[in-house]
């Protein structure tokens, strides 16, 4: 694709990268077939090829209008288009550049802006998020459905106290996960203790930064990355791995070196952190141990989060672990398609998110599984709020 980006922009690192990505797109449109919003809305501008054009025009003209904003806001950042693209177009990276530009030069309505400001100031801050979650839980009954679904159900996980071991791993707690599904990390701690590995947590750990990254809030994103790196660094020399049990956090942490590529003071630290970060499925599979299934379920419908299959490129690993434990995995149609959770998407684009959830739950339930398993807190809570009666769990909860 030909580009005519303004010279001054092209001389920046971001401008060079945007130019490279735009030029790598040959405009074939193969990506549209895998795009959930293109499938739902049938509008070229709601598919990856159209969005790439919109970003190109916006960067070339240096004008951010509401049309671009509408179509970029509707993108789930699921990156199914990247998996499908034969030319290796780094769509997610281009979208980040486009969203940064939009946030700086576009104009949002008052409610939309206020909602976005609220999200970036509350969710990544554990103390504030806990406070708001408790308030939301107390008034759940009067909240509209769109907000009610976002309030984590208060769960208490019993963290057993295990022995101190020589082999240790640091497990990330996340911001939403520690409120909504704390039982996931508790399950992992018990599993690993049974094999002589101690799980430790870092009380100073911060949000991974994915929320502000997706909302195009560059300043807060960089600060969050830096704070999180500072909190994790002291552990790196004595833990085997930094494990993410939420694929939405893992994908961002693994990408810290690219995201902090222009930051001389943090780049090498970002590389050290990223080298240690693994998804829990990678860690368990590299241990090469066997696990048992739980008694109450046998047939599992597996939903691979986009951040696992498209973002981290991990496919087949969880499936092998579950099958190894004795589960039967039922076939699931359109398994590459997003469930509609996509971070804050279910709050900011509720109608599209609900339609995608309905379709996903219909596909997951088709073969009458006993349980639906996934690997990210966002997908788990979003799917749990749907209308199917099949329980939705994190796959770790299925191992003994
Ligand atoms: S992003 Fe890839 S698949 Fe989509 S139009 Fe461009 S080259 Fe084709
Ligand atoms: S990231 Fe997902 S929703 Fe966005 S353009 Fe690509 S496939 Fe479509």
């Amino acid at each position: 694709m030909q580009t005519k980006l303004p010279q001054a922009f092209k001389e920046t690192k971001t401008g060079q990268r945007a130019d490279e990505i735009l030029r790598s797109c040959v405009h074939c449109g193969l990506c549209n077939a895998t795009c959930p919003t293109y499938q739902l809305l049938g509008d070229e501008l709601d598919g990856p090829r159209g969005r790439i054009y919109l970003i190109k025009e916006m960067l070339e003209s240096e004008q951010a209008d509401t049309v671009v904003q509408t179509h970029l806001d509707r993108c789930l950042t699921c990156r199914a288009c990247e998996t499908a693209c034969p030319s290796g177009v780094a769509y997610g990276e281009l979208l980040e550049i486009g969203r940064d530009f939009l946030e700086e030069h576009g104009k949002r309505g008052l409610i939309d802006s206020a909602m976005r400001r609220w999200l970036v100031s509350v969710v990544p801050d554990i103390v504030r998020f806990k406070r708001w979650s408790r308030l939301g839980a107390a008034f759940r009954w009067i909240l509209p459905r769109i907000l009610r679904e976002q309030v984590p159900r208060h769960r208490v996980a019993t963290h057993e106290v295990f022995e101190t071991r020589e082999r240790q791993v640091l497990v990330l707690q996340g911001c939403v996960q520690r409120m909504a599904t704390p039982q996931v990390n508790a399950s992992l701690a018990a599993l690993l203790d049974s094999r002589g590995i101690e799980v430790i947590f870092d009380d100073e750990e911060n949000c991974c930064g994915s929320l502000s990254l997706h909302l195009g809030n560059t300043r807060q994103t960089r600060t969050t990355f830096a704070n999180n790196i500072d909190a994790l660094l002291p552990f790196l020399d004595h833990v085997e791995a930094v494990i993410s049990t939420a694929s939405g956090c893992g994908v961002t942490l693994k990408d810290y070196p690219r995201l902090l590529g222009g930051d001389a003071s943090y780049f090498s630290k970002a590389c050290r952190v990223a080298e240690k970060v693994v998804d829990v499925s990678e860690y368990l599979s590299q241990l090469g141990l066997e696990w048992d299934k739980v008694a109450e379920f046998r047939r599992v419908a597996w939903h691979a989060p986009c951040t696992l299959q498209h973002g981290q490129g991990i496919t087949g690993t969880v499936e092998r672990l579950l099958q190894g434990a004795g589960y039967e995995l039922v076939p699931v149609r359109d398994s590459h398609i997003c469930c509609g959770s996509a971070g804050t998407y279910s709050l900011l684009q509720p109608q599209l998110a609900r339609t995608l959830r309905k379709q996903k739950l219909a596909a997951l339930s088709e073969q009458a599984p006993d349980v639906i398993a996934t690997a990210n807190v966002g997908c788990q809570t979003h799917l749990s709020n749907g209308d199917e009666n099949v329980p939705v769990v994190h796959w770790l909860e299925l191992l003994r």
Side-chain angles (χ1 to χ4, degrees), residues 24-31 49 52 84-87 89:
S24 65
C25 174
V26 297
H27 202 49
C28 63
L30 288 173
C31 48
R49 181 171 61 178
I52 289 170
C85 174
S87 305
V89 175

Side-chain angles (χ1 to χ4, degrees), residues 67-83:
V67 175
V68 189
Q69 191 171 293
T70 302
H71 296 290
L72 293 198
D73 282 355
R74 283 188 195 145
C75 173
L76 294 139
T77 329
C78 68
R79 293 169 63 188
C81 49
E82 276 188 33
T83 304

Side-chain angles (χ1 to χ4, degrees), residues 140-202:
R140 187 189 296 276
W141 54 284
I142 49 165
L143 291 176
R145 183 173 178 187
I146 170 181
L147 290 177
R148 198 166 60 232
E149 287 190 359
Q150 308 302 322
V151 179
R153 303 205 170 267
H154 186 63
R155 289 179 192 249
V156 182
T158 37
H159 278 278
E160 292 171 54
V161 180
F162 299 112
E163 275 178 55
T164 302
R165 313 267 193 180
E166 206 173 306
R167 294 184 70 181
Q168 292 184 327
V169 290
L170 178 78
V171 173
L172 298 164
Q173 301 175 82
C175 38
V176 178
Q177 177 164 291
R178 78 175 82 185
M179 287 296 291
T181 56
Q183 76 279 9
V184 173
N185 282 347
S187 304
L188 178 62
L191 273 183
L192 291 183
D193 177 74
S194 71
R195 306 304 166 98
I197 301 166
E198 185 188 357
V199 162
I200 56 171
F201 298 105
D202 172 11

Side-chain angles (χ1 to χ4, degrees), residues 76-78 149-150 155 176-177 180-181 183-184 214 245-249 251 279 301-312 335-346 353 356-358 360-361 364 372-388 390-395 397:
L76 294 139
T77 329
C78 68
E149 287 190 359
Q150 308 302 322
R155 289 179 192 249
V176 178
Q177 177 164 291
T181 56
Q183 76 279 9
V184 173
H214 290 169
T245 53
S247 58
C249 305
V251 71
D279 182 75
W302 162 239
H303 167 56
C306 301
T307 42
L308 191 74
Q309 57 170 326
H310 305 304
Q312 299 186 54
S335 58
H336 61 286
I337 294 278
C338 179
C339 66
S341 166
T344 53
Y345 194 88
S346 53
L356 286 167
R357 176 171 67 195
K358 205 169 175 201
K360 179 54 71 182
L361 282 171
L364 287 163
I372 293 169
T374 187
N376 191 45
V377 57
C379 310
Q380 189 180 347
T381 48
H382 183 60
L383 291 172
S384 302
N385 283 321
D387 296 326
E388 291 289 336
V390 188
V392 184
V393 300
H394 191 291
W395 66 273
E397 296 172 75

Side-chain angles (χ1 to χ4, degrees), residues 231-286:
L232 295 173
L233 277 176
F235 293 88
L236 298 184
D237 285 337
H238 61 269
V239 294
E240 281 181 21
V242 173
I243 297 182
S244 165
T245 53
S247 58
C249 305
V251 71
T252 303
L253 279 142
K254 286 181 174 182
D255 214 11
Y256 275 1
R258 178 186 71 75
L259 294 161
L260 289 165
D263 189 328
S265 54
Y266 271 91
F267 176 68
S268 59
K269 295 178 193 172
C271 292
R272 283 192 63 209
V273 169
E275 267 167 26
K276 282 265 168 167
V277 173
V278 285
D279 182 75
V280 63
S281 61
E282 295 173 297
Y283 183 72
L284 292 193
S285 110
Q286 114 206 343

Side-chain angles (χ1 to χ4, degrees), residues 32-96:
N32 278 355
T34 61
C35 174
T37 53
Y38 180 74
Q39 286 187 5
L40 278 185
L41 303 165
D43 182 339
E44 172 73 18
L45 298 182
D46 282 313
R49 181 171 61 178
R51 289 184 177 123
I52 289 170
Y53 253 101
L54 288 173
I55 295 171
K56 170 178 138 52
E57 279 172 15
M58 175 174 73
L59 296 176
E60 285 177 346
S61 66
E62 299 181 276
Q63 301 286 324
D65 61 27
T66 50
V67 175
V68 189
Q69 191 171 293
T70 302
H71 296 290
L72 293 198
D73 282 355
R74 283 188 195 145
C75 173
L76 294 139
T77 329
C78 68
R79 293 169 63 188
C81 49
E82 276 188 33
T83 304
C85 174
S87 305
V89 175
Y91 171 83
E93 214 180 319
L94 184 67
L95 183 69
E96 273 166 28

